[in-house]
Amino acid sequence: MMYELIDFKIHGNHDGNLVALEKGNGIPFEPKRVYYIWGNHSDVVRGKHAHKKLEQVIICTSGSCDFILDDGNERQTVHLDNPAQGLYIKHNIWREFTNFSKDCVVMVLASEPYDESDYIRNYDDFIKLVA
Ligand code: T46
C-alpha cells in the first residue's frame, strides 16, 4: 500500500468546524514535528525525495494541491482539497507535490524531528534502495 487517506472526526456545529489530531485519533504515530507550507506558485514542484524512516500525515488545510507518489513500481496522483482528510505516507515512498491553488496551505505532522540524513534526494538512489 503506497498511501492511506484518513478521514478525521469533525467536531462541527453552527459556529463552524474543528478537527483535533493526536496519536490513535487521526494520527497513527506520536507526532514529533509539525510544519506547514504555503505561498507556492501553481506549477512549482516540491518534494522530489523519499524518506528512509519518516512517516507523515499530510493535510491540505486550505485550497488544494496534488501529491504524486512513487514506490519504485508505480506512480499515483492524490488530489488533496479537504481539511478533514489526511494523506498518510510511510517511508520509502518518493513524493512530489505541485498544482497548488493560490490559497493552498499544506500542514504536515511528522513521526520524527527534522533530520536531513533521513532524506533520499536522488531518484536513482531511491530506485536502487527499493529494487
Ligand atoms: C516532505 C514534504 C511533504 C527544516 O529546516 N525543517 C523541517 O522540518 C523541514 C520539513 C524543512 N526544513 C528546511 C530544509 C530546507 O532548507 O526547509 C527547507 C525546505 O525543505 P524541503 O526542500 O525538504 O521542502 P519540501 O517542501 O520539498 O519537502 C517537505 C519535507 O521536507 C518533506 O519531508 O515530505 O515537505
Side-chain angles (χ1 to χ4, degrees):
M1 180 193 60
M2 213 176 328
Y3 68 89
E4 194 182 327
L5 283 171
I6 300 173
D7 289 318
F8 302 138
K9 180 176 168 50
I10 303 172
H11 303 272
N13 61 22
H14 56 273
D15 294 328
N17 300 307
L18 184 152
V19 167
L21 300 173
E22 57 190 20
K23 185 184 175 190
N25 194 355
I27 307 297
F29 50 80
E30 193 82 58
K32 298 212 176 103
R33 176 167 53 109
V34 177
Y35 60 92
Y36 46 97
I37 297 164
W38 77 102
N40 300 290
H41 286 290
S42 157
D43 55 355
V44 159
V45 181
R46 299 190 67 120
K48 298 190 216 162
H49 61 255
H51 284 283
K52 295 174 192 165
K53 283 198 335 203
L54 191 73
E55 298 182 29
Q56 302 192 104
V57 173
I58 299 165
I59 305 151
C60 203
T61 57
S62 167
S64 64
C65 66
D66 289 338
F67 268 76
I68 299 140
L69 304 176
D70 180 339
D71 64 1
N73 289 309
E74 60 166 331
R75 282 196 162 213
Q76 290 183 19
T77 299
V78 184
H79 184 68
L80 293 184
D81 62 0
N82 181 355
Q85 195 172 60
L87 172 65
Y88 175 38
I89 311 178
K90 293 187 187 170
H91 65 295
N92 284 353
I93 300 290
W94 187 266
R95 81 284 318 267
E96 299 176 3
F97 53 123
T98 187
N99 195 22
F100 299 97
S101 66
K102 266 206 165 103
D103 56 348
C104 180
V105 181
V106 176
M107 187 174 79
V108 182
L109 284 79
S111 63
E112 302 296 334
Y114 179 67
D115 176 7
E116 184 57 36
S117 71
D118 188 67
Y119 283 72
I120 307 162
R121 292 199 183 266
N122 179 287
Y123 188 73
D124 292 338
D125 292 345
F126 167 68
I127 291 298
K128 275 184 217 148
L129 187 81
V130 295

